[in-house]
């Protein structure tokens, strides 16, 4: 049986312009290949999200599953939201080093890597960040960050 999330993701991808659909589909496969066991793919906030299921961690501040990363298309670019890069300085340093090795400029907000061209991103560094934390570690990191606020 196909889940509602799978239908929503398929509908979302189908509605995108061909170039963005192609890029996001490639990134999605990479994310799924490196995502640690226990995280789930869902559709939420208008994006493809990878989350800690609410059944595993029900005490989130907004009653939504705990976000690990998400992937979406914006008007002029695609975006990969790497929450780990915003709460872990070492993860951000690894990402910056990956872009430096790749020889491309990092276009990033607080946790959002923006890109228009698949080849302009060091996907090996991104894959390492995606695989970096187990569900238990991610819960611990986000709870510690929330306690510091």
């Amino acid at each position: 049986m196909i889940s509602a999330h799978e239908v929503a993701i398929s509908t979302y991808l189908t509605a995108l312009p061909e170039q963005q659909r192609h890029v996001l589909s490639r990134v999605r496969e990479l994310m799924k290949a490196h995502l640690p066991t226990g995280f789930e793919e869902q559709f939420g906030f208008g994006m493809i999200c990878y989350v800690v299921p609410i059944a595993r961690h029900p005490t989130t501040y907004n009653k939504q599953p705990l976000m690990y990363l998400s992937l979406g298309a914006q008007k002029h670019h695609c975006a990969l939201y790497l929450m780990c890069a915003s709460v872990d300085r070492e993860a951000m340093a690894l990402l910056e080093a990956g872009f430096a090795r790749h020889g491309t400029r990092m276009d990033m907000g607080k946790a959002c890597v923006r890109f228009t061209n698949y080849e302009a991103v060091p996907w090996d560094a991104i894959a390492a960040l995606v695989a970096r934390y187990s569900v238990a570690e991610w819960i611990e990191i986000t709870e510690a960050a929330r306690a510091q606020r």
Side-chain angles (χ1 to χ4, degrees):
M1 175 179 263
I2 297 175
S3 75
H5 288 292
E6 290 175 64
V7 170
I9 291 168
S10 177
T11 302
Y12 173 71
L13 290 171
T14 301
L16 293 175
E18 183 177 345
Q19 176 62 22
Q20 284 185 318
R21 179 175 49 253
H22 176 71
V23 170
L24 288 188
S25 294
R26 285 182 72 184
V27 176
R28 180 181 178 216
E29 291 307 313
L30 182 75
M31 298 303 100
K32 289 168 49 173
H34 291 88
L35 196 68
T37 303
F39 288 103
E40 288 183 0
E41 182 181 61
Q42 296 184 356
F43 189 78
F45 306 102
M47 296 182 285
I48 302 168
C49 302
Y50 300 89
V51 302
V52 176
I54 201 79
R56 171 75 191 267
H57 185 65
T59 57
T60 61
Y61 76 96
N62 62 357
K63 309 289 187 241
Q64 298 295 316
L66 182 60
M67 186 76 67
Y68 185 54
L69 61 104
S70 61
L71 176 62
Q74 305 301 327
K75 185 174 182 178
H76 299 290
H77 63 271
C78 295
L80 179 61
Y81 299 85
L82 296 163
M83 294 2 157
C84 64
S86 69
V87 298
D88 182 347
R89 287 188 184 130
E90 186 178 319
M92 178 61 84
L94 291 171
L95 185 60
E96 290 168 348
F99 271 94
R101 277 191 314 277
H102 195 65
T104 53
R105 178 173 97 43
M106 184 169 77
D107 182 4
M108 186 166 184
K110 185 174 180 180
C112 167
V113 175
R114 295 177 288 269
F115 56 98
T116 55
N117 180 347
Y118 186 86
E119 285 72 27
V121 177
W123 294 111
D124 58 334
I126 300 286
L129 287 182
V130 169
R132 185 174 172 88
Y133 305 102
S134 69
V135 169
E137 290 169 326
W138 185 241
I139 292 169
E140 184 178 313
I141 288 166
T142 56
E143 288 299 314
R146 197 166 99 186
Q148 291 178 354
R149 291 183 192 174

